[in-house]
Amino acid sequence: MAMKKSVLDFYEMKKKGEKITFLTAYDFPTAQFAEAAGLDMLLVGDSLGMCVYGYRGTLPVVMDQMIYHADAVRRGAPNTFVIGDMPFMSYQSSLEKAVENAGRFLKEADCDAIKLEGGVRIAPQINALVEAGIVVMGHIGLTPQSSGQLGGHKAQGRTAETARLVVEDARAVQEAGAQMILLEAIPPEVGRYITEDLDIPVLSIGAGPHCDGQLLIVSDAIGQFQAFTPKFVKKYCNVAAMVTDAMKAYAAEVRGGDFPGDEHCYKMIEGEEEKFLELIES
Ligand code: KIV
């Protein structure tokens, strides 16, 4: 079994040019699969709002939901670096609230780090968390919790001026003390610039191939989430089709009397059937 990696290992991987592998996970079995597959990091993302609960976005997700899922993921992947994602309004309104809620991920779900969205404007929160001894991953570019302000789930930094703003956000996150950063939905040129500019490991979800590692939403990667597919997604299998086919086959066998077969039935102890019939009819 591989040793659980720490943030220092991720710095070392950046230095050596070894790519960091990163997926979301929301439950115990998926976490087990990810650990067996040797993933370096798991994010218990608030994307579970859409992928698990069927909400239209991430805004309704609350801390208690995140803690329940993070706790299950930790049990499934005890030797993998697990990051808890701070849901909407768990950190924006005050530094105290941010520290209290981030602390819950560590105390109640044994997470290794937390992630929160925002650059320059969220730097005071990042600093407060780091001062409290918490490992922080920043998240900039397309930030789904503020997608209303961005005019929807749109790629960011596609013009020179907006790309400059993304770089400013990245620098603010590092200066505030975050030990890792995630870039979402920006052009690869900007992803490359930030990866070379920053000392901290830079993870990408839709920020091109030059970053220090890659993240995908597991429900996208395995073809489970069907509402929409962002441009940066690659599907490695089609779980939705596999599971639907399996369920159709099950229903057909039940309707046709083919399931359960003999091999799925418990046998009575030898001689007990006759005794049972006598007993029941007397
Ligand atoms: O919640 C999540 O899974 C995320 C990703 C979209 C980066 O924050």
Side-chain angles (χ1 to χ4, degrees):
M1 184 192 305
M3 276 261 293
K4 181 168 144 187
K5 291 193 171 75
S6 78
V7 77
L8 298 182
D9 295 307
F10 302 129
Y11 276 75
E12 204 51 38
M13 289 173 81
K14 177 181 176 98
K15 255 199 238 150
K16 291 186 183 154
E18 285 171 20
K19 297 286 186 186
I20 301 165
T21 57
F22 191 17
L23 271 178
T24 66
Y26 314 115
D27 56 41
F28 175 81
T30 310
Q32 284 187 310
F33 302 149
E35 184 155 300
L39 270 292
D40 295 314
M41 283 185 198
L42 292 176
L43 172 68
V44 186
D46 65 352
S47 49
L48 63 78
M50 291 177 287
C51 299
V52 177
Y53 288 89
Y55 304 147
R56 272 195 313 119
T58 57
L59 301 196
V61 176
V62 297
M63 269 309 293
D64 282 347
Q65 283 170 303
M66 295 304 302
I67 296 293
Y68 296 146
H69 287 271
D71 188 35
V73 167
R74 166 50 78 218
R75 280 196 295 273
N79 296 304
T80 305
F81 194 90
V82 172
I83 303 172
D85 197 15
M86 302 283 283
F88 184 57
M89 280 304 138
S90 67
Y91 59 99
Q92 287 91 341
S93 59
S94 75
L95 302 187
E96 291 71 24
K97 203 165 174 184
V99 172
E100 204 173 296
N101 282 320
R104 288 191 64 192
F105 276 115
L106 277 63
K107 286 174 77 77
E108 296 174 42
D110 195 20
C111 285
D112 299 293
I114 65 88
K115 174 176 89 57
L116 78 181
E117 296 184 10
V120 172
R121 70 179 172 184
I122 222 71
Q125 276 84 343
I126 295 177
N127 191 249
L129 297 179
V130 172
E131 287 297 312
I134 296 170
V135 176
V136 175
M137 172 180 277
H139 175 177
I140 61 163
L142 168 54
T143 44
Q145 290 174 14
S146 44
S147 61
Q149 288 181 332
L150 303 176
H153 285 80
K154 294 201 163 83
Q156 302 296 302
R158 297 180 68 206
T159 64
E161 181 49 26
T162 56
R164 188 183 65 78
L165 294 177
V166 177
V167 172
E168 266 181 22
D169 274 337
R171 287 177 177 157
V173 165
Q174 175 169 283
E175 272 160 31
Q179 287 176 288
M180 294 176 283
I181 189 167
L182 174 68
L183 311 179
E184 179 166 353
I186 60 170
E189 297 81 352
V190 187
R192 167 181 246 159
Y193 184 89
I194 293 171
T195 303
E196 289 171 1
D197 188 59
L198 298 191
D199 298 324
I200 60 178
V202 177
L203 286 304
S204 154
I205 179 161
H210 312 295
C211 298
D212 300 312
Q214 296 293 328
L215 167 68
L216 276 180
I217 304 280
V218 71
S219 318
D220 289 330
I222 65 173
Q224 191 177 42
F225 182 71
Q226 301 185 85
F228 60 90
T229 306
K231 182 177 174 60
F232 54 72
V233 168
K234 178 168 177 184
K235 292 191 182 189
Y236 286 85
C237 64
N238 192 344
V239 157
M242 283 163 54
V243 172
T244 308
D245 286 349
M247 289 178 177
K248 280 184 187 163
Y250 162 71
E253 288 197 4
V254 171
R255 289 185 189 118
D258 299 314
F259 177 82
D262 228 27
E263 68 276 28
H264 308 114
C265 296
Y266 299 97
K267 302 276 173 271
M268 265 192 125
I269 308 276
E270 185 110 14
E272 288 298 306
E273 186 182 354
E274 294 74 22
K275 282 196 225 157
F276 163 65
L277 291 174
E278 265 174 40
L279 199 61
I280 206 85
E281 280 158 17
S282 62

